[in-house]
């Protein structure tokens, strides 16, 4: 009975006396074998490049580093009380149970030393898409309601990827975010 020997859950060497009533494919001792018909395959690098990898962002309750020289930001970082995100002005995942999350260039509201201030995310620690820089910490620049930065110097490099995002979100009559550059 040769056909019965090909379908078995036994890892013993092939033998027509060894078999199983379950009639599953033989395991053959390969660690990556998966029922029903695992076949080793090769994915061409061209197809790997077309994957759009998922990345997370800045959620509520995330602590950030202030990277400008505003008085409020310097005082908070010196006291060891970094700002915490209390609202994200973004539509990404707004209907999900975890709420929205922010990416580079998104505006957030933070609680800093008992005050509510707005800021722009300028650096993220999370894994990024190809071509977007990854930082050692989550960085923010504090801004006023009219879009001007609170400080006059930014102490961390700003990624160029946020330039078109800030230009698109800017409005000369309301808030001009391009003054960060």
């Amino acid at each position: 009975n040769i056909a019965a020997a090909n379908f078995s859950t036994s890892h013993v060497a092939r033998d027509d006396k060894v078999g199983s009533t379950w009639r599953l494919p033989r395991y053959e001792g390969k660690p990556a074998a998966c029922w029903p018909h695992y076949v080793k395959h090769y994915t061409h690098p061209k197809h790997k490049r077309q994957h759009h990898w998922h990345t997370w962002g800045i959620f509520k309750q995330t602590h950030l580093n202030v990277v400008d020289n505003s008085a409020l930001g310097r005082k908070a970082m010196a006291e060891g009380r970094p700002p915490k995100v209390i609202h994200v002005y973004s539509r990404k995942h707004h209907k999900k149970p975890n709420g929205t999350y922010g990416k580079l260039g998104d505006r957030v509201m933070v609680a800093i030393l008992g005050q509510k201030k707005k800021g722009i995310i300028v650096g993220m620690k999370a894994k990024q898409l190809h071509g977007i820089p990854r930082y050692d910490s989550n960085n923010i620049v504090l801004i006023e309601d009219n879009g001007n930065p609170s400080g006059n110097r930014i102490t961390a490099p700003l990624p160029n990827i946020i330039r078109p995002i800030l230009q698109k979100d800017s409005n000369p009559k309301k808030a001009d975010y391009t003054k960060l550059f």
Side-chain angles (χ1 to χ4, degrees):
N1 191 351
I2 305 264
N6 290 335
F7 294 99
S8 171
T9 57
S10 174
H11 63 280
V12 182
R14 292 182 183 242
D15 188 11
D16 56 347
K17 294 185 178 87
V18 177
S20 171
T21 57
W22 295 103
R23 303 287 185 238
L24 298 177
R26 188 179 294 271
Y27 171 59
E28 297 182 1
K30 293 180 183 173
C34 181
W35 187 82
H37 304 289
Y38 177 76
V39 178
K40 292 181 87 169
H41 68 281
Y42 176 75
T43 303
H44 195 274
K46 175 179 71 172
H47 299 294
K48 286 184 180 178
R49 284 193 298 267
Q50 294 171 356
H51 289 195
H52 301 289
W53 304 106
H54 173 74
T55 60
W56 294 104
I58 304 287
F59 287 93
K60 288 183 182 180
Q61 304 294 319
T62 302
H63 288 277
L64 304 166
N65 286 344
V66 180
V67 293
D68 60 6
N69 67 344
S70 60
L72 187 64
R74 281 198 331 238
K75 184 176 179 186
M77 296 310 290
E79 291 180 10
R81 297 171 59 196
K84 184 167 35 171
V85 177
I86 57 176
H87 184 71
V88 180
Y89 297 100
S90 172
R91 300 295 289 173
K92 296 178 186 80
H93 278 198
H94 72 282
K95 291 186 179 179
K96 299 283 183 183
N98 292 353
T100 60
Y101 62 85
K103 296 283 194 162
L104 287 175
D106 285 340
R107 292 180 305 128
V108 293
M109 182 175 284
V110 294
I112 179 167
L113 295 180
Q115 300 179 30
K116 291 194 295 186
K117 292 288 283 184
K118 289 183 182 175
I120 294 180
I121 301 170
V122 294
M124 281 179 32
K125 203 173 178 181
K127 184 176 85 169
Q128 298 295 311
L129 296 175
H130 179 71
I132 300 177
R134 182 177 176 182
Y135 290 80
D136 292 338
S137 61
N138 295 322
N139 299 334
I140 188 175
V141 172
L142 297 177
I143 58 172
E144 305 294 337
D145 288 333
N146 60 2
N148 293 333
S150 296
N152 56 8
R153 180 173 294 144
I154 297 173
T155 59
L158 295 180
N160 258 350
I161 194 74
I162 68 172
R163 186 184 300 264
I165 298 170
L166 295 179
Q167 286 174 346
K168 182 178 66 88
D169 291 343
S170 292
N171 184 345
K173 293 184 179 177
K174 294 181 182 176
D176 188 15
Y177 302 120
T178 56
K179 293 183 182 178
L180 287 177
F181 290 99

